[in-house]
């Protein structure tokens, strides 16, 4: 029998041989210690190389990549990594955040399709986000998406916006508005998550969820509603796509709460 | 939003960890890797109509990443940019185990491979693509892929084996 070439041995290690060829290699392996040693070297290297990149799979996916999947197509064609690096450095330098500080003029993202599918998309990315242990997650699957439960639901139903994170719930609510479908929607921050939920029947239906800052934003002492500037871009973008008119002022919000967020 | 684009968005979300892993194997820097993924996602969505539904989506995305990376390499060599090896810097402050130390050595060795060889290893050994798929991603015959893979493996064995005498 011909000796097994290194090419064939590697193909065997990579699972590329058909049944006949596999049998040939395996028969040779039985008789040839040196061949077994060569195979072990290939398998060992393969394991080491795989292991060296294993940790990346377990990392939480950066927010900007989730946004890239969900965001509307950019107006300009993206041509190079250099352009990306520039955009990223500009965003980090804060120049892209300046628009967001104007409470009534969010940076326009061109309007996303206001579909539940988009909410589901991000909600399905949930396991990859840095979230507390699964048992702590105050969300539940319902139909195609997620609804708020527990502390988040309670905060959305009863807390007024702009107040600091309530000691009881640990949830902060930033702002409330009416969306284009006529639903009340509210932003929230809880632990390391931030999101937007809209009232549907008896539930707060999650529209978007993103990794947020570790401490919830709270209103400065003068009471101005600027807490929302600390929300992640994905949530700001979702607001922009849905908001009808301006966010509710304190009076309108209290009235909405008293009506249990029904219109 | 067309239905193909919506479908792609849905599928790509679940592929992001693997795309990031491939990016990390291909490039030397964490930020380059994520920049590459972001660019590929945006390009893929703009070219949604080009993807054939009966073909592997991951291969298509790897191909977009690989091509973008080649463009980047060429641009950098034109501007004579030098690579800073960040491998050790990334690990500062992180408690290390043997596996993590070995990981540093492997990633460092990978970074020292030629681009062609590294891409072959990233697709076959890291991402587990069959030869046929990997060859298509790279736009080369299967024979060329296997010989690049063989040379890469030899080079890695030399770099990673402490008992080998390095010339």
């Amino acid at each position: 029998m011909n000796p097994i070439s290194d090419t064939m041995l590697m193909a065997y290690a990579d699972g590329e041989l058909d049944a006949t060829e596999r049998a040939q290699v395996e028969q040779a392996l039985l008789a040839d210690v040196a061949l077994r040693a060569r195979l072990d070297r290939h398998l060992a290297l393969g394991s080491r190389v795989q292991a060296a990149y294993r940790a990346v799979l377990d990392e939480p996916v950066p927010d900007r990549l989730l946004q890239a999947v969900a965001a509307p197509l950019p107006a300009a064609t993206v041509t190079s990594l250099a352009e990306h690096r520039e955009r990223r450095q500009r965003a980090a330098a804060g120049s892209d955040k300046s628009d967001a500080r104007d409470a009534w003029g969010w940076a326009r993202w061109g309007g996303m399709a206001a579909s539940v599918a988009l909410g589901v998309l991000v909600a399905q990315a949930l396991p990859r986000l840095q979230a507390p242990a699964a048992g702590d997650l105050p969300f539940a699957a319902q139909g195609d998406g997620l609804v708020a439960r527990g502390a988040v639901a309670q905060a959305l139903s009863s807390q007024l916006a702009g107040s600091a994170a309530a000691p009881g719930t640990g949830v902060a609510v930033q702002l409330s508005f009416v969306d284009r479908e006529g639903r009340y929607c509210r932003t929230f921050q809880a632990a390391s998550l931030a999101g937007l939920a809209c009232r549907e029947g008896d539930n707060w239906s999650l529209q978007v969820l993103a990794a947020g800052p570790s401490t919830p934003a709270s209103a400065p002492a003068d009471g101005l509603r600027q807490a929302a500037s600390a929300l992640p871009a994905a949530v700001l973008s979702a607001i922009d796509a849905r908001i009808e008119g301006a966010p509710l002022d304190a009076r309108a919000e209290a009235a909405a709460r008293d009506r249990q967020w029904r219109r | 939003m067309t239905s193909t684009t919506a479908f792609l968005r849905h599928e790509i979300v679940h592929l992001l960890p693997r795309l990031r892993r491939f990016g990390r194997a291909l490039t030397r820097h964490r930020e380059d890797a994520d920049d590459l993924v972001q660019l590929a996602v945006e390009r893929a969505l703009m070219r949604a109509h080009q993807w054939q539904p009966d073909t592997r989506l991951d291969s298509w995305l790897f191909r977009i990443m690989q091509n973008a990376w080649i463009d980047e390499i060429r641009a950098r060599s034109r501007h004579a940019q030098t690579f800073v090896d960040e491998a050790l810097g990334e690990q500062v402050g992180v408690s290390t185990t043997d596996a993590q130390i070995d990981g540093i050595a492997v990633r460092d060795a990978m970074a020292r491979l030629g681009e062609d060889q590294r891409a072959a290893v990233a697709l076959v050994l890291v991402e587990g693509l069959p030869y046929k798929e990997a060859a298509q991603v790279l736009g080369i015959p299967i024979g060329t892929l296997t010989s690049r893979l063989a040379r890469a493996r030899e080079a890695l064995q030399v770099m990673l084996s402490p008992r080998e005498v390095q010339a």
Side-chain angles (χ1 to χ4, degrees), chain A residues 228-255:
Chain A
S229 63
L231 288 169
V235 176
L236 295 175
S237 179
I239 296 169
D240 187 57
R242 289 168 172 73
I243 192 168
E244 186 71 44
L248 304 184
D249 64 15
R251 207 158 40 95
E253 189 180 56

Side-chain angles (χ1 to χ4, degrees), chain B residues 8-9 50 52 66-67 74 94 106-107 113 116 135 156:
Chain B
L8 282 182
R9 292 183 199 265
Q50 285 179 11
Q52 292 157 329
Q66 168 69 10
N67 289 338
R74 289 191 187 131
V94 175
V106 171
R107 290 191 298 274
L113 288 177
D116 287 346
L156 288 172

Side-chain angles (χ1 to χ4, degrees), chain A residues 10-11 14 16 41 48 50 52-53 57 59 64 69 71 78-79 81 84-85 87-88 121 124, chain B residues 9-10 13 20 24 30-31 34-35 38 42-43 72 76 102 107 125-126 130-131 150 153:
Chain A
M10 281 190 269
D14 295 337
E16 292 282 331
R41 274 186 99 213
R48 277 177 91 178
Q50 260 231 329
Y53 297 96
L57 287 185
E59 285 171 14
R64 65 177 172 120
V69 179
V78 176
T79 53
L81 281 192
H84 264 279
R85 203 174 309 118
R87 277 212 256 151
R88 181 167 40 80
L121 177 75
Q124 282 182 336
Chain B
R9 292 183 199 265
H10 194 279
V13 159
R20 295 186 74 229
R24 204 75 68 85
R30 191 181 299 260
E31 285 306 321
D34 283 344
D35 284 348
Q38 187 169 344
E42 289 173 6
R43 260 189 209 169
E72 176 66 12
R76 287 185 187 181
D102 194 56
R107 290 191 298 274
L125 295 186
V126 179
Y131 289 172
R153 277 165 141 141

Side-chain angles (χ1 to χ4, degrees), chain B residues 35-48:
Chain B
D35 284 348
L36 202 60
V37 174
Q38 187 169 344
L39 187 152
V41 166
E42 289 173 6
R43 260 189 209 169
L45 292 176
M46 280 194 286
R47 299 173 188 173

Side-chain angles (χ1 to χ4, degrees), chain A residues 131-139 149-150:
Chain A
D136 298 337
L137 225 46
F139 309 114
R149 285 279 178 265

